[in-house]
Amino acid sequence: MFKVIVLISLISCSLFSSSHLVKKLEFREDTSSLNKAQRLDPNSHINIFLPSIPYSYIAKATNAGLIRSYDNKRGWIYDLAKSHERVDEYTYIFTLRDKLKFQDGKAFTIDDVIYNLEYFKKKPFLYTNIDKVDFDIIKLDKKRIKIVLKQKYEMFLTDLARIYFYTKEYIQKYNPVGKETGTANKIAGAFGMGPYILQEGFALGSEQTEKLELVANPYYWNKEFPKIKRITVYTQLNVNEAIEDITKKEGKLDLMPIPFNKKFEVILSKYSKLIISKSTDNFVIFFNLINGNKKLLSDEVRVALNQALDQERLLNFVYKKEGKVSPFTTSINYDIVEQVAKEFKIEEKKYSKKELTTLLSGLELNVFTQDRFMFLFKGIEFQLKKYGVKLNYTITSSEKDIYKELLTTSSNKNEKEWDLLIWGDDDWYYQNPWTVFFIYEIGSVWSTIPKDEQMQSYIEQYFLTNPSSIEYKKVVKNILHRARQKAYTLRVPSLNKVIAVNKEVIYKPYEGGIIPLWEIEISKNHWSVRGKKEYKKELEEAIKPKRIK
């Protein structure tokens, strides 16, 4: 077996106390892709942990629409539609694939498309502007429909990738009303058209089961997918226990995002390997400007809190260099955000250390966080402490608890007293910075800021601006600079995806908030398919971390 001997500095390793230790490691080659198990082996099974937006990840695996979010520049590919034509700014014509079926085996026709779109018009999701945009749906023939918007709206295709189609029985019985989070998986059953069927559990964002079971859809239109028969999804685990499960116990967990300070536990594991990739996901740390600490209502205090953080030190010592410094909360890994950062100068008063201390000394802030973000807050706390800021923590292992507080703050109905709240804002909208911009919108339950009419005017222009136009960059710049000027969030570096994966799982992450469960494969040495055979000792040797560019 091929081996590589390297020297690794353990400066950033939490397993070792000395910053000067150097350890010689022998890495073996990752051979999992050379020994693939058969597609849909009846015993094939993986366990994954999704601590952020599980409802979105699962919806993308169990449901289907005309188009599907994808890891490319435009952010989507065709799904149930095989082609489309944009006739003008308002009109789209879609052509369906042949012989489509629901997960229960019943035929899916153009009339089902119309029924679902008409239902969506009445009860749309509420996290973009599509709920305010009317449109006509016209049947052209057995394979084609025409959609005519009644006003200009340049986010229609991106929204369309999140409009899923269900059986009439599901709609009539369970009424999947659009809300501020996903509602695609209210109950288990063969109601959709995605590559996996939700067999057990549910996930809605604000409410979810701790475990969900997915099984392969035998009627999925693309016979290449899925490749694994069964997937168990966990939505609420203690992060330290989950790390133990994926690194020290075979068969407990096969895939999970990890805190950056846990990289070496994974590298040195007998059973897991480390995969790292560029990401458009975000860590959003909200300031509570509705009913939080009144000192936070001062723009100067919020700007001072941001300036008190040394972003380079956060990147090097807290992120373990897994990311990039960004001048904005919105990920610098969006092409348009990077362009704005390079081309437009930020105008901001720079406070001296003495001025920062004067503004911040004695400030006491209540933090509400998932346990998996404590590594980040400890780094933030270390830096803010120098200026006299104290942080008090309330910690949960479940994202649904975060939503319960966050989504009730704008209406003053939240139950906990919090001043800072972190959300793992994985790029659910995909390749579009709306993922962060929507938290600044007036009237949104996601917003924890006072009314900002100027920002709202920028957002309204954003809905109308084609991303391929010259004007788009200016609109994005206006939103980014306004959010920075008002310091509406506590800014931290943009992150890489850092994922622990079973050594016998074959997985390539997407940049945005999609985990393509249907594309994941396993090798013949995976615990689920090798039977009673022991895992070979030579396979327990460390695999060099894979960094995907």
Side-chain angles (χ1 to χ4, degrees):
M1 184 173 291
F2 177 70
K3 296 180 181 178
V4 180
I5 300 176
V6 298
L7 295 178
I8 292 186
S9 168
L10 298 175
I11 292 174
S12 62
C13 180
S14 61
L15 299 177
F16 302 89
S17 57
S18 171
S19 62
H20 302 291
L21 283 176
V22 174
K23 181 178 176 65
K24 181 187 291 187
L25 281 182
E26 289 191 358
F27 287 126
R28 74 169 177 88
E29 182 181 10
D30 184 356
T31 57
S32 58
S33 62
L34 304 178
N35 187 33
K36 294 179 181 178
Q38 68 177 9
R39 176 182 173 271
L40 290 181
D41 182 299
N43 295 314
S44 58
H45 181 194
I46 62 171
N47 301 308
I48 68 176
F49 175 33
L50 300 178
S52 285
I53 62 170
Y55 61 91
S56 180
Y57 287 120
I58 293 165
K60 287 179 172 67
T62 58
N63 294 281
L66 291 173
I67 59 177
R68 171 180 290 281
S69 301
Y70 191 68
D71 205 26
N72 57 19
K73 288 292 183 183
R74 67 184 180 185
W76 60 268
I77 55 173
Y78 293 111
D79 195 6
L80 304 180
K82 65 179 181 180
S83 65
H84 93 288
E85 176 189 1
R86 186 173 185 179
V87 179
D88 53 40
E89 286 188 335
Y90 305 93
T91 308
Y92 301 80
I93 296 175
F94 289 89
T95 302
L96 278 187
R97 297 184 187 277
D98 297 325
K99 298 178 181 179
L100 294 171
K101 292 183 178 181
F102 285 106
Q103 290 170 338
D104 62 3
K106 294 179 182 176
F108 175 84
T109 70
I110 201 75
D111 293 324
D112 292 302
V113 175
I114 295 169
Y115 182 86
N116 273 268
L117 289 176
E118 290 287 359
Y119 177 82
F120 177 82
K121 277 177 59 177
K122 297 172 187 174
K123 300 181 179 180
F125 49 66
L126 305 176
Y127 46 77
T128 70
N129 210 44
I130 190 66
D131 56 306
K132 302 177 187 69
V133 177
D134 195 11
F135 52 89
D136 290 326
I137 306 152
I138 302 163
K139 180 178 178 179
L140 299 179
D141 53 42
K142 290 183 179 181
K143 289 296 177 183
R144 295 185 304 147
I145 61 160
K146 180 190 290 187
I147 300 174
V148 183
L149 305 182
K150 294 186 179 180
Q151 64 189 73
K152 189 176 181 183
Y153 185 64
E154 289 296 333
M155 285 166 49
F156 178 68
L157 283 179
T158 319
D159 280 344
L160 192 63
R162 283 143 196 85
I163 300 176
Y164 304 126
F165 297 153
Y166 313 100
T167 63
K168 289 182 181 178
E169 293 79 7
Y170 177 73
I171 290 174
Q172 292 167 1
K173 186 173 182 178
Y174 297 107
N175 192 29
V177 178
K179 295 185 179 180
E180 291 81 9
T181 60
T183 59
N185 297 108
K186 295 186 71 172
I187 193 167
F191 303 120
M193 299 186 69
Y196 278 99
I197 298 170
L198 180 61
Q199 188 180 62
E200 179 184 322
F202 67 90
L204 303 176
S206 57
E207 189 180 7
Q208 64 203 27
T209 51
E210 295 184 12
K211 185 175 80 168
L212 300 94
E213 296 288 350
L214 313 182
V215 294
N217 172 16
Y219 300 108
Y220 187 53
W221 68 265
N222 189 339
K223 299 308 176 185
E224 182 182 352
F225 305 113
K227 299 190 174 185
I228 294 173
K229 184 71 174 180
R230 178 177 294 274
I231 297 178
T232 300
V233 179
Y234 295 95
T235 65
Q236 183 177 331
L237 297 173
N238 176 283
V239 69
N240 292 320
E241 292 176 5
I243 293 289
E244 289 278 313
D245 285 344
I246 201 164
T247 58
K248 297 182 179 180
K249 302 170 187 176
E250 192 186 24
K252 295 284 285 185
L253 278 179
D254 292 283
L255 187 151
M256 66 171 287
I258 63 166
F260 305 132
N261 62 344
K262 299 295 183 181
K263 289 194 295 182
F264 275 82
E265 280 92 328
V266 178
I267 292 172
L268 300 176
S269 167
K270 293 180 180 180
Y271 306 114
S272 58
K273 59 191 175 186
L274 194 66
I275 296 179
I276 301 166
S277 69
K278 181 181 176 182
S279 175
T280 47
D281 294 343
N282 303 272
F283 292 153
V284 176
I285 303 178
F286 292 82
F287 285 124
N288 184 353
L289 306 185
I290 306 298
N291 53 30
N293 190 316
K294 293 192 181 304
K295 292 183 180 179
L296 291 177
L297 295 176
S298 165
D299 292 2
E300 289 81 7
V301 169
R302 299 195 306 275
V303 170
L305 282 165
N306 275 287
Q307 289 189 10
L309 292 182
D310 185 324
Q311 299 291 328
E312 288 287 351
R313 291 183 69 83
L314 282 178
L315 179 63
N316 292 333
F317 296 104
V318 178
Y319 280 55
K320 311 303 181 187
K321 300 185 178 181
E322 295 300 348
K324 293 180 182 177
V325 170
S326 175
F328 313 109
T329 289
T330 311
S331 176
I332 195 69
N333 291 322
Y334 288 109
D335 289 342
I336 188 63
V337 176
E338 186 177 24
Q339 291 173 35
V340 169
K342 287 180 177 178
E343 296 178 24
F344 298 95
K345 183 180 178 181
I346 294 172
E347 302 291 341
E348 182 178 82
K349 177 185 176 181
K350 183 68 176 176
Y351 292 117
S352 67
K353 289 184 178 180
K354 183 177 179 180
E355 288 173 320
L356 289 175
T357 301
T358 299
L359 284 165
L360 300 178
S361 183
L363 183 61
E364 189 168 337
L365 300 174
N366 296 320
V367 175
F368 190 38
T369 178
Q370 280 178 268
D371 54 357
R372 71 190 191 99
F373 295 122
M374 280 304 295
F375 81 99
L376 174 55
F377 269 111
K378 285 302 181 181
I380 292 171
E381 181 180 31
F382 179 79
Q383 292 194 24
L384 294 183
K385 201 173 187 179
K386 293 184 292 185
Y387 299 98
V389 178
K390 181 182 179 183
L391 300 182
N392 304 313
Y393 296 99
T394 301
I395 304 170
T396 179
S397 61
S398 176
E399 188 184 53
K400 72 176 186 292
D401 295 334
I402 298 296
Y403 282 139
K404 185 178 180 181
E405 291 306 310
L406 175 60
L407 300 182
T408 55
T409 298
S410 63
S411 59
N412 260 303
K413 295 179 181 179
N414 49 322
E415 297 175 359
K416 290 183 170 59
E417 292 184 4
W418 67 268
D419 306 308
L420 294 174
L421 177 148
I422 188 169
W423 175 42
D425 182 12
D426 293 4
D427 179 18
W428 48 269
Y429 206 59
Y430 216 75
Q431 299 298 330
N432 187 314
W434 179 248
T435 302
V436 176
F437 292 175
F438 84 127
I439 71 172
Y440 309 128
E441 189 176 23
I442 292 176
S444 169
V445 297
W446 293 92
S447 177
T448 62
I449 66 176
K451 287 185 178 180
D452 184 337
E453 298 291 351
Q454 186 173 346
M455 177 67 90
Q456 186 65 21
S457 69
Y458 295 152
I459 287 174
E460 289 171 2
Q461 191 62 37
Y462 185 76
F463 292 138
L464 305 177
T465 308
N466 190 313
S468 62
S469 68
I470 297 173
E471 294 79 15
Y472 183 69
K473 187 185 297 182
K474 183 179 179 181
V475 175
V476 172
K477 174 257 181 187
N478 288 340
I479 295 173
L480 290 171
H481 280 231
R482 179 67 175 175
R484 167 78 186 240
Q485 173 196 355
K486 301 294 288 185
Y488 281 142
T489 54
L490 186 64
R491 192 174 66 256
V492 292
S494 302
L495 62 140
N496 289 341
K497 286 183 186 288
V498 182
I499 306 166
V501 183
N502 180 281
K503 288 179 178 177
E504 305 306 326
V505 169
I506 304 154
Y507 169 62
K508 181 180 179 181
Y510 286 5
E511 283 189 15
I514 301 176
I515 296 179
L517 300 177
W518 54 95
E519 293 181 358
I520 297 176
E521 299 178 86
I522 57 175
S523 84
K524 294 176 181 178
N525 291 314
H526 189 260
W527 60 267
S528 69
V529 296
R530 72 170 190 267
K532 296 182 179 179
K533 296 178 183 178
E534 292 290 325
Y535 194 50
K536 296 177 183 178
K537 286 293 180 184
E538 60 264 32
L539 297 177
E540 293 180 354
E541 295 178 7
I543 294 176
K544 186 177 181 180
K546 185 174 184 180
R547 194 171 291 274
I548 299 171
K549 297 181 179 179

